Amino acid sequence: MAKRVTKKRLSRKNFFLTFLIICLIALNIYTFYKYQNKKGDECTPCLTDTKLDAEYNADKKYYKEIKFSEFKKLYNGKSIATIAVTDNSSQTHDMFVEYINKKAYYERTNINLIELSKLSKKNEVAFFNLNERFSKLESDYIILVRDGIIVSVIEFSRNDLNSLVELYK
């Protein structure tokens, strides 16, 4: 025999369903506001807080030079980092630094520059041991890194740099 449905049982059922709906709506609103207030890893590290000057100043550095310890923090960090790697013994070093400076200014991106020639032998070996791809690359390249994983590698040739530097004029 089936149980009889009474008014008391219906009111308990309605109360329970209403309570469940209110809890789910509250959880949904909480999740929405938590998501809205969370800083996005994709956007925040890319943009700098500096405002554009009236004109580009070639003497001013719009990128950030970093040491190996800062490189390791960025390499293993939770957010995406843009790191330019160069060696001042390369033929295109000056042109590459000029491109990085203009890119950082005009695109308002936060670019970190590490120069391999300024590293100690120990740090240079540690740099190349971080990832085997580093030893196979030439001297001027940009990497995008997140959580110790290389997201993107961009190598530049002399012709590429010439056209890219002229692009920002």
Side-chain angles (χ1 to χ4, degrees), residues 51-114:
K51 295 178 182 175
L52 292 176
D53 297 337
E55 289 183 23
Y56 171 76
N57 184 359
D59 297 330
K60 187 175 177 182
K61 290 182 181 178
Y62 296 101
Y63 58 89
K64 180 182 175 191
E65 287 187 21
I66 58 173
K67 297 178 181 179
F68 184 69
S69 59
E70 295 172 78
F71 172 78
K72 281 179 38 179
K73 287 178 186 174
L74 290 172
Y75 186 79
N76 296 318
K78 297 283 184 194
S79 61
I80 294 178
T82 306
I83 303 169
V85 181
T86 187
D87 189 0
N88 62 3
S89 64
S90 73
Q91 297 173 348
T92 58
H93 169 73
D94 295 333
M95 203 178 328
F96 182 70
V97 172
E98 180 183 357
Y99 168 69
I100 294 300
N101 201 26
K102 286 185 176 184
K103 182 176 178 72
Y105 173 76
Y106 287 112
E107 294 181 10
R108 293 186 45 213
T109 55
N110 189 8
I111 299 177
N112 302 289
L113 177 72
I114 185 166

Side-chain angles (χ1 to χ4, degrees):
M1 251 184 157
K3 291 186 179 181
R4 279 182 37 191
V5 178
T6 61
K7 285 186 179 181
K8 192 174 187 180
R9 190 169 276 179
L10 276 176
S11 66
R12 284 183 191 160
K13 196 176 199 180
N14 286 342
F15 175 75
F16 177 73
L17 289 176
T18 307
F19 179 73
L20 183 64
I21 289 171
I22 291 172
C23 288
L24 289 174
I25 290 173
L27 182 65
N28 197 10
I29 291 171
Y30 171 75
T31 307
F32 175 74
Y33 282 115
K34 187 177 178 184
Y35 177 75
Q36 289 293 333
N37 294 334
K38 182 180 177 186
K39 293 181 180 177
D41 288 341
E42 295 79 28
C43 302
T44 351
C46 301
L47 299 177
T48 59
D49 295 334
T50 58
K51 295 178 182 175
L52 292 176
D53 297 337
E55 289 183 23
Y56 171 76
N57 184 359
D59 297 330
K60 187 175 177 182
K61 290 182 181 178
Y62 296 101
Y63 58 89
K64 180 182 175 191
E65 287 187 21
I66 58 173
K67 297 178 181 179
F68 184 69
S69 59
E70 295 172 78
F71 172 78
K72 281 179 38 179
K73 287 178 186 174
L74 290 172
Y75 186 79
N76 296 318
K78 297 283 184 194
S79 61
I80 294 178
T82 306
I83 303 169
V85 181
T86 187
D87 189 0
N88 62 3
S89 64
S90 73
Q91 297 173 348
T92 58
H93 169 73
D94 295 333
M95 203 178 328
F96 182 70
V97 172
E98 180 183 357
Y99 168 69
I100 294 300
N101 201 26
K102 286 185 176 184
K103 182 176 178 72
Y105 173 76
Y106 287 112
E107 294 181 10
R108 293 186 45 213
T109 55
N110 189 8
I111 299 177
N112 302 289
L113 177 72
I114 185 166
E115 293 195 29
L116 298 177
S117 58
K118 292 183 180 179
L119 296 178
S120 67
K121 292 293 181 186
K122 178 183 173 184
N123 288 341
E124 191 171 351
V125 169
F127 173 80
F128 288 118
N129 286 337
L130 280 175
N131 195 313
E132 66 181 43
R133 293 169 73 182
F134 293 154
S135 61
K136 296 176 184 175
L137 295 170
E138 295 295 321
S139 61
D140 300 326
Y141 54 94
I142 296 176
I143 57 174
L144 293 173
V145 183
R146 180 178 184 179
D147 286 332
I149 299 171
I150 298 175
V151 177
S152 170
V153 176
I154 306 167
E155 273 191 281
F156 296 96
S157 68
R158 183 178 206 87
N159 295 334
D160 293 339
L161 284 172
N162 281 334
S163 60
L164 288 171
V165 167
E166 290 175 11
L167 180 69
Y168 287 116
K169 289 185 180 181

